[in-house]
Structures are given as structure tokens and as C-alpha cells.
Amino acid sequence: MATVGCNHVPSWQLYVAELMRNLGTYRLVFCLGAGTATTIEAVVTAELAETGGYGRKPYNPSTNSYSSGNKRVEASAVNNSLIASGTSLQYDSVALILDAAVSANKGFTDSNVNASTDTITVTAHGLSNGDAIVLTADAGATLAGGLTAGTLYYAANIATNTFQVSTAADGSAIVDLTNAGSGNMRLRYAKGRLVLVGNYGSAQTIADGASRTITMNIELHNSGYTTGV
């Protein structure tokens, strides 16, 4: 497997320090085109579609230890298998998100967009008011008018199958949907905080029916962040 190089994420040392102290609420996500991403919206915009066997993977190391000689904290390695089903899967980067939603993304079409009420329907979307989201258009489609692809928005006025989009976390600035767009679009779940991004440097392909095991082993090489571990 290709070597992974980690990109800089703002305050990543603090996030990894928090990872070392609070294990069990993390998700590993796979992306194509997020090799230089440093924001959660860029990561989820590039995250694989939740089809063909792809889904976010839990990262739940059970223990961590501090090496006084090496001045580092280590979380035990976690292995996750990604199995392609019905199509090949291709990715070039992985990311770790703290308190991420279980779902990666869900598709909808222009028929699910009501521009007159500024409402989008996605069956059993699972959102809560204030959840961070990103909306994108699949290849050949056009995003609903008023929305900008790759922008961090917030879910508002939630019902079981419908939601509105706000530019403010408190739902006070509902986006005016000027048209329904066209074709297939995608609701992407951006809840949580980005901890790190690993870049393989080239595309990795999992053939249909094949599997790939990804090993995550986090080390924090800065004794200044180990207090309380």
C-alpha cells in the first residue's frame, strides 16, 4: 500500500491530543480529490458516494500509551476493510473526523427540491437542526439555484424527511432556492471536526469484489500535548 502523508489541518495537534484522551467517536472517510484538503467541507465534498460498498468506517482504538523515551503518545492500530461491491472503488486520500455522522452522503434529484418553499426532501435524512452539511451535484447535474457546491451550510427547520438550508448555524438565514436544479444531487454530512487528512499521492483502486484493509495508527510527537493522557 502507498505511503500516506498527512496534510496540515488547523489546530490538528490539539485535535489529535483530544483523540488520545477521548477514544471511540471517530469516523474514517475515503476521498478522491481531497489530497490537499484542510477543511471538513473540502473533505466531504470529495468523499466517495455511499454506493458500491462504500461507507464511513469507525475508528475505535481501545487503548493508548505514552512513551517517555520517545516523547510521544500512541493510539493502538485499527484495521478497517473496504469491500467493493457492484463497482470498483477509487480513492487517493483518507480523513479522520471527530464526532462525525455515520452516514457519508445521500442522493436526491431535482424532483426533491421545492424552490417555492425552499425545502429539500431526503427520506430519513437523520439530520438535526444546526447540523453542518454540504450540497453537491453529481456529474452532468446542476445544483439547485441559490446553493454553492462545496460550501458549509447548516440544516434548519427539520422534519423526518425534509429540511431547509441555512448559512447560519442557528437557522436564522434560510437560503432562497431560486430553482430546483437538474439531475442527481447529493446531501453530504459535514458534522464533526476534521482531525487529519492522509494523502496517498496517487489513486488507489479496489476492484469490484475485492477488499482493502486500511490500518490507522495515530502517534502524537509532541510532549507538550500529552498532559493528562
Side-chain angles (χ1 to χ4, degrees):
M1 186 170 63
T3 301
V4 180
C6 287
N7 300 322
H8 172 71
V9 174
S11 300
W12 72 270
Q13 296 99 331
L14 294 177
Y15 292 169
V16 174
E18 188 170 0
L19 166 73
M20 296 299 184
R21 296 183 179 91
N22 301 289
L23 302 176
T25 58
Y26 301 83
R27 292 276 165 182
L28 183 64
V29 306
F30 294 72
C31 305
L32 183 60
T36 60
T38 59
T39 64
I40 193 167
E41 56 266 36
V43 166
V44 299
T45 294
E47 187 173 4
L48 303 186
E50 200 167 75
T51 59
Y54 173 69
R56 291 179 172 180
K57 299 294 183 179
Y59 177 72
N60 298 316
S62 57
T63 60
N64 62 76
S65 59
Y66 175 60
S67 171
S68 57
N70 294 319
K71 299 284 187 188
R72 72 187 184 196
V73 179
E74 299 179 353
S76 55
V78 173
N79 298 318
N80 276 307
S81 294
L82 190 63
I83 303 173
S85 176
T87 184
S88 63
L89 296 176
Q90 193 173 62
Y91 63 96
D92 61 10
S93 46
V94 294
L96 195 64
I97 302 176
L98 168 65
D99 292 331
V102 173
S103 297
N105 42 69
K106 292 186 177 182
F108 63 96
T109 71
D110 53 284
S111 65
N112 302 119
V113 179
N114 188 330
S116 64
T117 61
D118 300 323
T119 301
I120 298 174
T121 298
V122 176
T123 302
H125 51 66
L127 293 168
S128 297
N129 286 319
D131 278 356
I133 58 175
V134 171
L135 289 306
T136 60
D138 289 356
T142 302
L143 196 60
L147 297 173
T148 301
T151 297
L152 193 67
Y153 293 110
Y154 301 91
N157 298 320
I158 295 298
T160 301
N161 300 316
T162 62
F163 64 96
Q164 291 183 307
V165 180
S166 174
T167 58
D170 63 1
S172 61
I174 301 299
V175 174
D176 177 20
L177 301 181
T178 57
N179 61 65
S182 64
N184 297 316
M185 289 163 266
R186 198 160 293 276
L187 164 66
R188 297 176 177 271
Y189 295 79
K191 177 185 176 183
R193 286 189 290 170
L194 187 62
V195 176
L196 60 84
V197 182
N199 180 15
Y200 285 86
S202 62
Q204 310 291 302
T205 301
I206 307 173
D208 184 16
S211 66
R212 180 75 53 83
T213 298
I214 308 297
T215 300
M216 291 290 293
N217 186 14
I218 304 297
E219 297 177 354
L220 183 59
H221 296 262
N222 188 327
S223 59
Y225 291 104
T226 64
T227 302
V229 175

